[in-house]
Amino acid sequence: MGPINNIKSATGKGVEDVVVKATASSEDMPRGPACLIEEGLDPCSLIIFGASGDLTARKIVPALFCLFVYGVLPPRTLILGCARSPMDDDSFRARMEAVVSSRPHYHPDKWAEFREMLFYQPIEYGSLDSLKAMEARLRRLEGRGHKRGRLLYLAIPPSIYRTSVEAIGKVGLAKPEGEHILWTRIVIEKPFGRDLESAIELDGLLHKFFREEQIFRIDHYLAKETVQNILMFRFANAIFEPIWNRQYIDQVAIFAMESGGVEHRAGYYEEAGVLRDMFQNHMMQLLALTAMEPPARFEADRVRDEKVKVYRELRPFPLEDLGSHLVLGQYTRAAVEGKEVPGYREEPGVAPDSLTPTYAKMKVFVDNWRWQGVPFYLTSGKRLAKKVTEIVVQFHRIPHTVFREVIGEEIAPNRLTLGIYPEEKITMTFQTKRPGARVCLRAVTMDFHYNEGYTGPVLESYEKVLLDCMLGDQMLFWRQDGVELAWAFLTPVLEECETCADRAQRLKFYRAGSWGPELPELREPPPAISSQ
Ligand code: BG6
């Protein structure tokens, strides 16, 4: 972090917010493709299962195109899309171009080169004959002479994982290496099961054919630059770690608030709800990064070992007093910015009496020396006032106020905010004297914006995830023990919530466009989101 400068002038009366800017010094900033990748990638074949679906068009192919534009994709890369829909190479290419052409990196000349890498093969997921035909075509496309890696990407619904993985394994596509194969890896998207039992079952299926180092379980939150930055912030600075514990920190709040509704995903969301959709994965990762001990080295397994310890130390929910630790909500119809927005139960594909929660706030404790007694409030929901993702660390109040006689008001505790969306930033609030003859305090905010002073390329999460898969770096991917521990923590809660007799009474309704339900149940008021 560079020098602190540019203290904006304060307006208003009494305690007020002022912004103090911290800038990054430009000499510290690595530039250009060098910060994307250090070594060349192996030539690679990407086989996308589910290539006619939404994820392929919206995320995977645009991300690959972007890597191509950055010059990172190795020569002789080939991308073979597979799905049930009948299509040929040209119609697949046209379909992908229709999406990519609206993205900022699109350039017709670059696309003309990239499209030559794209191919399509219709398949039946569970059919060995169909997969053998696909494999034969893949070999023809790959040609002979150059060894290459193979990345199998499952962008398919979990309901067909079993048949697909069995067929992939049986036709020999899972072999870790071969005559002209340098490596084979498989990428799977969440949900990794829907409870502990199904997660173990899915893992058993994958391990029937793949080794753990071949399996890449994606959590796109981990690929966000500012999420990765949590570790740099904590462990590359000497001043924060000594105060990162119960002695100085009063509470931590992690928010992943969304303004969008369930959109076209009701089929999936009705089954998942917010706890499976956001908490078992993204929220658990944010919690682990905030609470974990420093790993001895920045290596995939060392980092993941430390995260797993956090999951192991989570205090089980008190099922007999769940209401004081967990609030579930669902959005209702309301006008948002002058436009009427449907309630969750009115969304297409949602049951009119659905009890699926679209919002949850939970209070969790990490039972170890560092965090004993410090509540972590995790909140996420759909159709809220604003899309905001951030971690707020609230420090203890000062133990004694020497200004009691003169100021008479409560002095707000210091607060550190790690902003992930929309502003990628780190802010610290503290008290200073307000200029003038009268003794008066004002809260000022020291503010660092993540991209300030940086002009090089920034990878979006799917670009980063795909790059790491090709590099074979598992740092940003879930390891199976973490998946199971996260489920072990949440499964009893899910069971209790989904089977209790007063399920309907427990669900709190909130208006679309609000900040969620009222929370009298959580005894201490958690810190508010910074932009509320
Ligand atoms: C996905 C969830 O994993 O993450 C979605 O399934 C959610 O429901 C999304 O909207 C949020 O991701 P982001 O990157 O937009 O914060």
Side-chain angles (χ1 to χ4, degrees):
M1 224 182 254
I4 297 169
N5 58 17
N6 186 17
I7 301 181
K8 287 191 188 158
S9 64
T11 52
K13 297 192 182 98
V15 178
E16 59 199 352
D17 286 347
V18 183
V19 178
V20 183
K21 283 197 141 195
T23 56
S25 83
S26 50
E27 307 90 81
D28 304 339
M29 294 290 182
R31 281 163 194 279
C35 33
L36 290 184
I37 184 169
E38 274 151 23
E39 59 207 78
L41 290 174
D42 299 323
C44 176
S45 306
L46 288 116
I47 302 105
I48 308 172
F49 295 85
S52 59
D54 199 42
L55 186 70
T56 305
R58 273 190 317 113
K59 300 282 187 191
I60 305 173
V61 171
L64 289 168
F65 179 64
C66 191
L67 290 176
F68 175 73
V69 171
Y70 281 147
V72 176
L73 276 196
R76 298 184 297 281
T77 298
L78 82 87
I79 301 162
L80 178 60
C82 308
R84 276 183 292 228
S85 309
M87 250 191 292
D88 60 13
D89 295 343
D90 279 340
S91 37
F92 180 57
R93 291 167 178 174
R95 194 167 167 152
M96 296 301 115
E97 188 179 10
V99 178
V100 173
S101 58
S102 63
R103 302 289 172 92
H105 288 96
Y106 180 75
H107 188 282
D109 294 347
K110 282 282 168 199
W111 178 261
E113 281 178 62
F114 179 78
R115 77 188 290 283
E116 298 303 312
M117 300 176 171
L118 288 178
F119 302 90
Y120 184 83
Q121 172 82 16
I123 56 161
E124 276 308 317
Y125 290 107
S127 152
L128 297 192
D129 288 344
S130 166
L131 284 211
K132 276 185 196 152
M134 184 275 271
E135 216 264 331
R137 172 138 194 245
L138 181 63
R139 277 175 179 271
R140 282 197 302 281
L141 291 170
E142 287 173 338
R144 303 210 159 261
H146 295 288
K147 280 198 145 199
R148 53 171 57 234
R150 277 184 180 171
L151 191 65
L152 313 172
Y153 199 124
L154 296 194
I156 52 176
S159 54
I160 53 172
Y161 273 3
R162 171 165 289 286
T163 44
S164 310
V165 173
E166 291 275 359
I168 286 171
K170 285 184 184 154
V171 300
L173 270 166
K175 282 205 197 98
E177 58 211 306
E179 204 188 319
H180 74 293
I181 308 294
L182 283 171
W183 46 259
T184 302
R185 298 178 188 138
I186 186 163
V187 182
I188 61 163
E189 288 273 343
K190 74 171 207 11
F192 314 120
R194 53 172 286 108
D195 53 20
L196 179 57
E197 198 186 327
S198 52
I200 294 173
E201 198 184 311
L202 171 63
D203 186 56
L205 170 68
L206 288 167
H207 277 112
K208 214 163 134 185
F209 303 106
F210 295 92
R211 300 183 194 145
E212 181 64 25
E213 65 270 19
Q214 290 180 276
I215 305 172
F216 286 69
R217 300 176 190 84
I218 287 190
D219 188 317
H220 79 279
Y221 260 54
L222 284 178
K224 291 177 192 268
E225 285 269 350
T226 33
V227 171
Q228 293 167 47
N229 187 48
I230 299 169
L231 290 190
M232 314 298 160
F233 176 78
R234 287 190 55 200
F235 304 137
N237 293 296
I239 57 172
F240 300 111
E241 212 36 36
I243 56 168
W244 208 256
N245 56 50
R246 62 190 296 273
Q247 276 180 305
Y248 294 90
I249 293 178
D250 184 50
Q251 46 187 298
V252 178
I254 303 179
F255 298 98
M257 317 299 254
E258 298 190 71
S259 51
V262 67
E263 280 142 20
H264 55 281
R265 298 165 72 218
Y268 150 77
Y269 201 86
E270 274 283 85
E271 289 294 309
V274 69
L275 292 178
R276 291 188 177 86
D277 186 47
M278 292 294 292
F279 282 73
Q280 191 276 336
N281 32 69
H282 311 322
M283 300 303 274
M284 285 292 135
Q285 284 291 350
L286 295 180
L287 170 65
L289 290 167
T290 311
M292 67 191 259
E293 295 299 318
R297 284 206 215 124
F298 194 55
E299 285 173 3
D301 271 328
R302 305 231 184 183
V303 171
R304 297 190 299 176
D305 286 346
E306 294 305 332
K307 287 185 187 171
V308 158
K309 283 189 208 158
V310 175
Y311 303 136
R312 207 170 276 138
E313 287 153 3
L314 286 175
R315 185 184 302 173
F317 269 93
L319 294 181
E320 63 303 334
D321 183 25
L322 203 53
S324 67
H325 286 69
L326 175 70
V327 178
L328 297 176
Q330 190 187 82
Y331 62 86
T332 57
R333 166 177 287 273
V336 179
E337 290 171 2
K339 208 173 133 224
E340 196 71 8
V341 165
Y344 177 69
R345 289 178 175 181
E346 300 157 312
E347 300 274 17
V350 173
D353 54 355
S354 170
L355 295 177
T356 301
T358 58
Y359 170 100
K361 180 181 274 293
M362 62 171 64
K363 179 164 71 169
V364 304
F365 290 92
V366 181
D367 274 337
N368 62 18
W369 193 284
R370 185 192 282 261
W371 293 116
Q372 193 50 239
V374 179
F376 285 76
Y377 292 95
L378 315 186
T379 313
S380 179
K382 293 211 177 276
R383 275 273 182 256
L384 297 169
K386 201 168 154 194
K387 183 165 167 68
V388 185
T389 314
E390 65 183 27
I391 299 171
V392 182
V393 177
Q394 183 160 306
F395 293 88
H396 289 304
R397 288 180 185 279
I398 48 170
H400 165 75
T401 165
V402 294
F403 307 109
R404 200 174 36 234
E405 311 301 326
V406 264
I407 296 178
E409 47 193 271
E410 282 235 324
I411 296 180
N414 299 118
R415 217 178 235 203
L416 176 80
T417 301
L418 304 173
I420 293 161
Y421 189 91
E423 286 178 284
E424 303 185 319
K425 61 175 187 183
I426 297 170
T427 64
M428 178 80 207
T429 55
F430 50 90
Q431 301 295 328
T432 59
K433 181 183 175 306
R434 191 172 169 215
R438 218 156 56 86
V439 178
C440 197
L441 287 180
R442 61 176 176 170
V444 296
T445 302
M446 194 167 75
D447 192 337
F448 165 68
H449 287 266
Y450 187 69
N451 284 329
E452 211 166 81
Y454 178 72
T455 52
V458 177
L459 292 185
E460 295 298 328
S461 34
Y462 270 84
E463 292 149 21
K464 173 78 178 134
V465 155
L466 283 159
L467 188 58
D468 283 355
C469 291
M470 289 186 264
L471 286 166
D473 182 353
Q474 289 184 309
M475 172 93 74
L476 303 182
F477 297 81
W478 278 89
R479 204 170 59 187
Q480 180 60 17
D481 50 354
V483 173
E484 287 178 20
L485 285 162
W487 275 124
F489 174 65
L490 282 177
T491 300
V493 183
L494 283 161
E495 278 169 3
E496 170 67 16
C497 296
E498 286 168 0
T499 55
C500 64
D502 58 348
R503 189 175 173 194
Q505 288 74 48
R506 288 191 189 186
L507 194 65
K508 312 277 174 227
F509 292 94
Y510 61 97
R511 291 166 61 78
S514 69
W515 282 109
E518 297 293 314
L519 301 170
E521 294 86 350
L522 295 179
R523 285 175 196 132
E524 311 97 55
I529 197 155
S530 65
S531 50
Q532 194 162 351

